[in-house]
Amino acid sequence: MSLTHLLLILGFILFIWKKWKERLPMIEAVDRIPGPFSIPLLGTTWQLKWRIEELVVQLRGWAIYYTDRGYGLIRIWLGTRPLVIAFRPEYAKEILESNTLISKGPEYGILAPWLGTGLLTSTHEKWRRRRKMITPAFHFNVLKQFLPVFNKQCKRLIGILSEQELEKDLDVGPFIKRCALDIICETAMGCSVNAQIDTSHPYVLSTSRLTQIVFLHQRMPWMWIDLIWKITGYDREYKENLKILHHFTLNVIRNRRSEYRENSEELTKREKKAFLDLLLEMEKDEHFTDEDIREEVDTFMFEGHDTTAASLGWTLWCISHYPDVQQKITEEIDTVFGNNKNRDVTSDDLVQLRYLEKVVKESLRLYPSVPNLTRYAEEDIILKDTKIPAGVTLLISPLIIHRNPEFYPDPETFNPDNFNEESISSRPSYTFIPFSAGPRNCIGQKFAVLEEKTLLAWFFRHFTVSSHIPFLSNLVKPEVISAPLLGFPMRVTQRQ
C-alpha cells in the first residue's frame, strides 16, 4: 500500500471519528429516551415490518407497551436519523402549540421540487408571512362561494355511480378521488381536468404517481442516498411526472394572469373566485412571481384532494358497517331535503346536518387522513422533563392518539356519539387532532368539512351502502395519507 493510500484511509477514519464525536452528545441524549433496540447505522429499521399495514400494528404495539409503563415518548432510529414519537396528547399539545417548533421534518424534503417552499413546507418568516396573507382566503364567507363547484362535481359523481353495476361490490375510492380532484382543480385554479370523465388525463395520472413515489422515498432510508435513488429509476420518474404537473399549473397561471390583466375590473367584482384569482389579486402587494404562485397552488392541490378523498372513503366504509348510523343519516338528510334528490346543497343545509358532521369527525378519529405529523428540532428543547437535542425529528401520531382507550371507550368501534357535546367536554385537548393543531394547523380544514358534508348529502339522497367484508380487516396503510389496504369495496344500492 502506498503512502498516498494510507494517508487517504487515515483521513477518512479521522473524518468519521470527528463526525461521530460531534454527534455523540445528541446520540446519548436520544438514547436516554426509551425505545426498541437499535444498532449502529441500521438503527431500528431492521425491526420495522416490511408490509406497511403491519407497521401500523407494530407502532401501536410499541405505543401500548411504553405508555403502560408510564412513558409518553419513545425514540427510534431510521438508519442514523433519530425520530422521537409522541403518543400522549399532553406531549402533542406542547409540540404543536410551540412557536419555535414550526419546521417540518426532513422527510418533507422530497416534496421540495414539487411544492417549493409553499405554505406546507416553508418555515420561519416566509411561512408566517404566507400564512397571514393566505388565511383570509379560507374565511367561511369566501368558502361558501365554492358550493356551486361542490354541487356540480358531486352531481356528476352521482350520475357516474348510477351507471355502474351496482349489483356487485364496487370500490368507491377511485370515483371519490377523481371527484375530489375535479373540485380542487376548479376551486384552486379555476379550471377543470375533467378527471371524472377523462380518467387518463396526464395531470390525473402524474398526481397519483407522484404521491406514491413520495411515500416510497419517505419510508425507505436507503432511498435517501442519491446514488441509489437515481440507479433505481425513481429520480427520473419523479422528474418526468413533476414536469407534467408544473407545466400544467404554470400554463393555467399565465393564462389566468393574462385574462386578469385584460379584464381586471370585471374579474375583481366576480363573486365566484378560484384560489388562484385571490393570489393574483394579492400579487402586486406581495411581489409574487409565477413560481411563488405555482408553489401555493400546487400545495393546495396536493393537500386538498387526496386527504379529502381518503376521509370520504373511510367515512363510507364506516357507515357501510353500521346500519343504525346510516339510518340516522338518511333520516336527517330527508328532514332537510324532503323528497328532492336533485336540489343543490346550500350553506344553510350544511349547518342543519349536525349528525352528519359527527359521523365525519368520528371517521376522522378512527382514520385521520394524515396519520402522522412531524416537527424538526432546530435547537435543544425540553418536553416536560425530557431533553430533546437539536437534529431530532418529532413525530405526533393522530392515528394512535385517537385510539387511546383512556379517552375513547371501546376505541375500535365507530361511534359518532363520541362527538356529542358532553363527550367532547369530558376529554382533554389534543385527543382529536385530524387537522393538526396550533399555529401550523391545517388552513383548509373548513373547506374539507364543507366538501365532505356536501358530497355525503348528495350520496345518501341517492344511495345506501353495505359491506360483507369485516370492518377491521381493512387496515390502514400510513402512506402520505391513510390509504386503505383493501380499497373501499362495498355494495352501493339505489334508494327507492
Side-chain angles (χ1 to χ4, degrees):
M1 181 183 292
S2 69
L3 180 61
T4 303
H5 287 139
L6 183 60
L7 290 173
L8 284 172
I9 292 169
L10 287 173
F12 179 72
I13 292 171
L14 284 171
F15 174 78
I16 295 297
W17 181 80
K18 183 182 177 185
K19 287 292 181 183
W20 179 77
K21 287 284 286 184
E22 288 173 358
R23 281 173 56 88
L24 187 59
M26 185 267 282
I27 294 169
E28 290 175 340
V30 169
D31 281 340
R32 289 190 195 104
I33 302 168
F37 181 70
S38 298
I39 59 178
L41 297 179
L42 290 178
T44 319
T45 53
W46 68 278
Q47 287 193 59
L48 298 180
K49 297 295 184 183
W50 180 256
R51 293 179 62 189
I52 191 62
E53 62 275 8
E54 292 177 354
L55 180 60
V56 178
V57 177
Q58 183 181 38
L59 289 175
R60 288 193 67 202
W62 284 342
I64 292 167
Y65 177 85
Y66 287 100
T67 52
D68 282 351
R69 285 155 180 76
Y71 299 109
L73 299 172
I74 72 164
R75 63 99 187 99
I76 64 174
W77 288 89
L78 297 177
T80 59
R81 186 181 292 177
L83 182 71
V84 173
I85 306 175
F87 290 134
R88 299 278 307 174
E90 57 268 28
Y91 285 97
K93 183 177 190 294
E94 200 162 326
I95 294 166
L96 295 176
E97 284 188 351
S98 170
N99 284 310
T100 55
L101 283 171
I102 60 168
S103 297
K104 299 293 182 77
E107 71 281 349
Y108 282 84
I110 186 63
L111 291 170
W114 183 358
L115 307 182
T117 49
L119 198 60
L120 176 67
T121 50
S122 59
T123 189
H124 300 307
E125 190 52 40
K126 180 173 182 178
W127 169 77
R128 291 186 176 91
R129 189 175 66 252
R130 289 281 176 95
R131 177 80 184 206
K132 184 178 179 180
M133 179 196 77
I134 292 172
T135 294
F138 290 88
H139 189 278
F140 183 74
N141 289 331
V142 176
L143 296 180
K144 285 195 296 186
Q145 73 179 7
F146 295 141
L147 267 171
V149 177
F150 294 173
N151 280 307
K152 179 178 73 175
Q153 297 298 347
C154 290
K155 194 179 295 186
R156 179 175 287 175
L157 172 66
I158 298 305
I160 291 170
L161 287 175
S162 299
E163 295 170 356
Q164 306 305 306
E165 291 184 53
L166 299 182
E167 293 78 20
K168 60 182 183 179
D169 280 358
L170 178 72
D171 184 354
V172 299
F175 295 93
I176 292 171
K177 188 170 181 178
R178 290 190 288 267
C179 178
L181 185 56
D182 271 344
I183 286 173
I184 206 71
C185 272
E186 198 162 346
T187 54
M189 295 191 281
C191 69
S192 179
V193 294
N194 288 316
Q196 296 195 78
I197 297 169
D198 184 5
T199 58
S200 61
H201 190 289
Y203 188 90
V204 176
L205 298 178
S206 290
T207 300
S208 177
R209 184 56 185 151
L210 265 185
T211 55
Q212 293 168 0
I213 296 172
V214 163
F215 177 65
L216 182 143
H217 184 275
Q218 290 176 337
R219 184 188 168 215
M220 299 178 177
W222 51 92
M223 289 296 177
W224 305 341
I225 301 170
D226 282 345
L227 182 62
I228 295 176
W229 182 241
K230 289 175 179 175
I231 287 174
T232 55
Y234 288 118
D235 180 67
R236 175 185 51 78
E237 192 179 1
Y238 183 100
K239 288 174 180 174
E240 287 172 354
N241 284 285
L242 192 61
K243 185 177 179 182
I244 292 169
L245 294 191
H246 283 179
H247 178 74
F248 181 86
T249 308
L250 286 169
N251 268 347
V252 171
I253 291 169
R254 286 160 187 161
N255 291 338
R256 201 77 170 183
R257 179 185 281 111
S258 177
E259 182 186 356
Y260 195 86
R261 285 173 178 168
E262 290 174 10
N263 307 286
S264 59
E265 189 173 337
E266 181 186 332
L267 289 173
T268 302
K269 293 178 182 176
R270 183 188 289 173
E271 286 187 15
K272 183 181 143 188
K273 295 178 182 177
F275 179 61
L276 173 56
D277 296 328
L278 298 170
L279 291 176
L280 289 171
E281 285 181 10
M282 304 172 190
E283 184 178 23
K284 287 183 181 177
D285 295 335
E286 296 298 327
H287 308 292
F288 269 12
T289 65
D290 280 1
E291 280 298 316
D292 291 326
I293 294 175
R294 180 204 58 73
E295 63 188 18
E296 295 302 348
V297 171
D298 279 347
T299 295
F300 193 30
M301 291 291 302
F302 171 74
E303 288 196 277
H305 86 279
D306 243 7
T307 50
T308 307
S311 176
L312 281 162
W314 283 116
T315 301
L316 289 175
W317 176 258
C318 293
I319 294 168
S320 71
H321 290 82
Y322 286 82
D324 56 327
V325 171
Q326 186 163 195
Q327 180 65 29
K328 290 179 182 179
I329 292 170
T330 54
E331 286 174 0
E332 181 177 71
I333 285 174
D334 289 349
T335 299
V336 173
F337 293 96
N339 292 323
N340 194 334
K341 289 188 172 185
N342 296 307
R343 174 171 72 76
D344 280 354
V345 178
T346 67
S347 55
D348 289 338
D349 297 330
L350 295 175
V351 171
Q352 294 181 66
L353 297 174
R354 295 181 181 89
Y355 184 74
L356 185 62
E357 185 157 335
K358 292 179 189 177
V359 169
V360 170
K361 287 180 177 178
E362 175 66 354
S363 169
L364 284 167
R365 178 188 73 81
L366 281 169
Y367 304 104
S369 296
V370 180
N372 298 306
L373 315 165
T374 64
R375 297 290 185 269
Y376 183 69
E378 296 176 293
E379 56 188 40
D380 292 356
I381 60 166
I382 302 294
L383 284 182
K384 300 200 177 296
D385 55 352
T386 303
K387 178 184 176 181
I388 308 294
V392 168
T393 298
L394 292 153
L395 183 144
I396 304 101
S397 177
L399 188 64
I400 292 173
I401 290 174
H402 290 181
R403 297 194 184 207
N404 189 325
E406 182 181 341
F407 311 114
Y408 296 97
D410 198 7
E412 304 292 332
T413 298
F414 179 69
N415 179 16
D417 289 342
N418 280 322
F419 290 91
N420 291 341
E421 286 185 18
E422 59 273 20
S423 298
I424 295 171
S425 62
S426 69
R427 292 191 296 268
S429 60
Y430 287 75
T431 53
F432 181 65
I433 46 173
F435 297 106
S436 187
R440 289 208 77 148
N441 69 341
C442 174
I443 198 171
Q445 58 185 285
K446 289 180 181 177
F447 179 97
V449 172
L450 286 176
E451 180 182 342
E452 290 182 42
K453 288 176 71 176
T454 302
L455 190 147
L456 292 168
W458 274 101
F459 187 93
F460 285 105
R461 277 189 283 170
H462 290 263
F463 306 111
T464 60
V465 287
S466 59
S467 179
H468 60 86
I469 301 170
F471 180 54
L472 295 177
S473 66
N474 202 2
L475 300 175
V476 175
K477 297 192 297 178
E479 299 179 355
V480 178
I481 50 94
S482 295
L485 175 64
L486 306 176
F488 295 116
M490 58 191 74
R491 183 68 55 88
V492 180
T493 306
Q494 292 271 8
R495 282 187 66 186
Q496 299 302 316

